[in-house]
C-alpha cells in the first residue's frame, strides 16, 4: 500500500504526485523516534545532573546531617576534654599531693597514636580532617579516662593505707633535741671540714656526746646496718611509700638488717666514726630516691615557733662535721 502526496515542481509549474513506500515511511518514523528519544535522554541526563536523583538527594541530605553531627560531637568532645583537664589538675595538685604521690606525667595522660597508621583508613573519606580529628579526640578522651581511673584506684589504695603511711613517714628528730641546741649544720651547700671547699651537704648534722641515743624517725624496716667508709657505722631504714632515712657516724649499731622498727625506737648511739671531725649524728631523708631536706620532716616533734627556729639554725653556713 502506498501513500501519495503532492510537491510543486517549478520547472513545469505544476504539482506532481509523489509516491512514498512503507519502507521510507518506517525509516522516517524511526528517525523521528530516534531524535525524540535522544532528546528525551539528553533532557533526562541534564535533569539528574542539575537536580540529581532522589537517592542522590537523600544521600546528600544524610551526608549533610552526618557532617553536622560530627561537628556537634567534636564540640562535645572538646568540652569533655576540658572537664578531664580540670579533673587532671585537681588530681595532680590536690588529691595526689595530699597522699604524697607523684603527679602522672603528661606524656602518659596524653599518649596518642600519632606514630601508627591507625587513621589511614579514614584518609579517603569525605571531610577527612573533620572525621580524623574527631576520631583522635575520642581516642584521647578514652585514654585519659583510663589513666584517670587507674589514678583514682591508686588513690583509693593510698587512702586505705593512709594511717599506716602517716606512721611510716619520718616525722621526728633522730635525737632528743627539744632545745634545738644540738643542731650543728643543715642541708645545702656548706664548707667541707676536711678539704675546706664548698660542697653539697645532703643531710643535717646533730652534735651530741658519744653514746647519745639515736631514734628511728618513722616505722620501717632496717635496709642496712653496717660500716661504710664515708659514713662509718651507718643505718639505713626503709619506711616504705618511697621514704628512706640514713643515720651515720654511730658509735654503736643496735639493730640488724631486716629488723622491723617503730618510730621512737632506739636504733644506735651517736659516735665519731667514718669521715667525721667530731661526735655527731649525720641524718638524711630520701624520698623516692632523691635527697630531701630533713628540716621538712620534724612536724610531729616541733611547735610552729620551734620549727621556724630550726629552719633558721639549719640555714647555718658554718662548717659541717662530716
Amino acid at each position: 500500500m502506498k501513500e501519495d502526496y503532492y510537491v510543486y515542481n517549478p520547472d513545469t509549474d505544476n504539482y506532481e504526485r509523489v509516491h512514498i513506500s512503507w519502507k521510507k515511511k518506517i525509516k522516517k518514523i524511526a528517525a523521528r523516534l530516534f531524535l525524540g528519544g535522544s532528546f528525551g535522554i539528553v533532557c533526562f541526563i541534564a535533569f539528574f545532573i542539575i537536580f540529581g536523583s532522589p537517592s542522590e538527594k537523600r544521600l546528600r541530605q544524610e551526608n549533610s546531617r552526618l557532617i553536622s553531627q560530627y561537628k556537634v560531637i567534636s564540640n562535645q568532645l572538646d568540652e569533655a576534654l576540658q572537664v578531664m583537664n580540670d579533673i587532671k589538675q585537681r588530681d595532680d595538685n590536690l588529691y595526689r599531693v595530699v597522699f604524697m604521690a607523684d603527679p602522672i606525667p603528661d606524656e602518659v595522660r596524653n599518649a596518642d597514636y600519632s606514630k601508627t597508621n591507625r587513621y589511614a583508613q579514614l584518609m579517603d573519606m569525605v571531610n577527612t580532617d573533620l572525621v580524623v580529628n574527631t576520631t583522635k579526640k575520642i581516642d584521647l578522651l578514652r585514654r585519659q579516662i583510663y589513666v584517670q581511673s587507674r589514678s583514682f584506684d591508686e588513690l583509693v589504695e593510698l587512702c586505705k593505707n593512709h594511717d599506716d603511711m602517716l606512721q611510716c613517714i619520718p616525722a621526728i628528730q633522730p635525737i632528743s633535741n627539744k632545745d634545738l641546741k644540738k643542731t650543728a649544720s643543715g642541708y645545702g651547700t656548706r664548707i667541707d671540714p676536711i678539704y675546706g671547699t664548698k660542697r653539697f651537704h645532703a643531710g643535717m648534722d646533730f652534735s651530741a656526746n658519744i653514746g647519745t641515743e639515736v631514734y628511728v624517725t618513722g616505722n620501717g624496716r632496717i635496709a642496712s646496718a653496717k660500716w661504710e667508709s664515708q659514713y662509718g657505722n651507718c643505718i639505713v631504714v626503709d619506711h616504705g611509700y618511697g621514704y628512706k632515712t640514713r643515720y651515720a657516724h654511730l658509735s654503736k649499731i643496735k639493730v640488724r638488717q631486716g629488723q622491723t622498727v617503730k618510730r621512737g625506737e632506739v636504733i644506735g648511739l651517736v659516735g665519731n666514726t667514718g669521715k667525721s671531725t667530731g661526735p655527731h649524728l649525720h641524718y638524711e631523708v630520701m624520698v623516692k630516691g632523691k635527697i630531701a631536706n630533713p628540716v621538712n620532716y620534724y612536724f610531729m616533734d616541733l611547735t610552729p615557733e620551734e620549727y621556724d627556729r630550726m629552719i633558721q639554725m639549719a640555714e647555718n653556713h658554718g662548717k659541717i662535721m662530716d
Side-chain angles (χ1 to χ4, degrees):
M1 183 178 180
K2 297 181 180 179
E3 181 178 343
D4 298 333
Y5 65 93
Y6 293 89
V7 175
Y8 176 75
N9 187 344
D11 294 334
T12 60
D13 195 26
N14 287 319
Y15 286 92
E16 296 178 355
R17 181 180 293 179
V18 177
H19 303 285
I20 300 176
S21 65
W22 281 107
K23 290 182 180 182
K24 290 183 178 180
K25 185 177 181 180
I26 292 173
K27 288 180 180 180
K28 189 176 182 180
I29 293 173
R32 290 178 179 177
L33 289 175
F34 175 77
L35 290 175
S38 298
F39 179 75
I41 291 172
V42 170
C43 292
F44 184 79
I45 293 173
F47 177 84
F48 278 106
I49 290 175
I50 297 173
F51 300 102
S53 67
S55 59
E56 289 177 341
K57 187 176 181 180
R58 286 195 300 271
L59 286 174
R60 283 198 297 268
Q61 291 174 344
E62 290 177 4
N63 186 53
S64 178
R65 284 196 296 269
L66 285 174
I67 292 174
S68 299
Q69 290 174 356
Y70 261 105
K71 291 180 179 179
V72 171
I73 292 172
S74 181
N75 292 334
Q76 291 175 342
L77 287 171
D78 288 336
E79 294 174 359
L81 287 169
Q82 183 58 51
V83 172
M84 284 302 303
N85 185 63
D86 293 341
I87 294 174
K88 173 248 182 184
Q89 295 293 335
R90 195 176 306 164
D91 183 31
D92 287 345
N93 300 320
L94 178 59
Y95 304 145
R96 301 186 73 82
V97 170
V98 168
F99 294 105
M100 287 169 282
D102 289 335
I104 298 174
D106 286 338
E107 56 267 25
V108 174
R109 288 185 183 272
N110 299 322
D112 56 27
Y113 301 93
S114 58
K115 297 182 179 180
T116 69
N117 61 349
R118 181 180 180 87
Y119 308 108
Q121 72 277 12
L122 303 177
M123 293 302 178
D124 58 350
M125 295 183 64
V126 179
N127 298 290
T128 299
D129 291 342
L130 178 61
V131 175
V132 171
N133 289 336
T134 303
T135 306
K136 286 182 177 180
K137 290 177 184 179
I138 292 173
D139 288 339
L140 178 59
L141 181 61
R142 184 186 295 114
R143 172 69 179 177
Q144 291 189 355
I145 290 174
Y146 172 76
V147 173
Q148 190 60 58
S149 176
R150 293 296 299 272
S151 176
F152 284 152
D153 290 342
E154 181 184 353
L155 291 175
V156 168
E157 291 301 315
L158 290 174
C159 185
K160 291 178 181 177
N161 298 323
H162 188 244
D163 291 341
D164 179 66
M165 181 175 66
L166 289 178
Q167 294 298 318
C168 293
I169 295 174
I172 63 173
Q173 296 179 87
I175 63 173
S176 180
N177 187 29
K178 293 297 183 182
D179 57 7
L180 306 181
K181 292 181 179 179
K182 296 179 180 178
T183 305
S185 183
Y187 174 95
T189 302
R190 302 290 185 266
I191 302 298
D192 189 285
I194 296 177
Y195 303 110
T197 58
K198 287 186 177 182
R199 74 174 179 86
F200 182 75
H201 188 230
M204 288 189 69
D205 290 342
F206 295 88
S207 61
N209 295 327
I210 293 177
T212 300
E213 292 181 330
V214 176
Y215 309 109
V216 65
T217 56
N219 295 358
R221 179 185 61 82
I222 304 299
S224 66
K226 61 183 181 181
W227 175 274
E228 297 184 23
S229 59
Q230 180 178 354
Y231 294 113
N233 289 325
C234 178
I235 299 172
V236 175
V237 179
D238 187 348
H239 301 276
Y241 304 100
Y243 291 91
K244 289 185 178 180
T245 50
R246 175 180 280 118
Y247 312 77
H249 309 299
L250 304 173
S251 62
K252 184 176 182 179
I253 295 174
K254 305 189 73 172
V255 291
R256 66 185 183 279
Q257 183 176 348
Q259 180 179 337
T260 300
V261 291
K262 292 186 177 181
R263 179 185 289 141
E265 185 176 339
V266 176
I267 57 174
L269 304 177
V270 171
N272 188 28
T273 59
K275 180 178 172 290
S276 173
T277 59
H280 76 288
L281 171 71
H282 174 80
Y283 175 64
E284 294 180 11
V285 175
M286 293 158 279
V287 183
K288 297 181 179 178
K290 297 181 179 180
I291 299 295
N293 191 341
V295 78
N296 298 319
Y297 292 89
Y298 303 138
F299 52 85
M300 291 185 64
D301 205 28
L302 302 175
T303 65
E305 293 76 15
E306 291 171 335
Y307 185 74
D308 288 340
R309 185 181 169 202
M310 167 69 82
I311 291 177
Q312 293 175 4
M313 297 179 71
E315 290 298 323
N316 167 34
H317 285 264
K319 291 184 178 181
I320 55 179
M321 303 183 69
D322 52 32

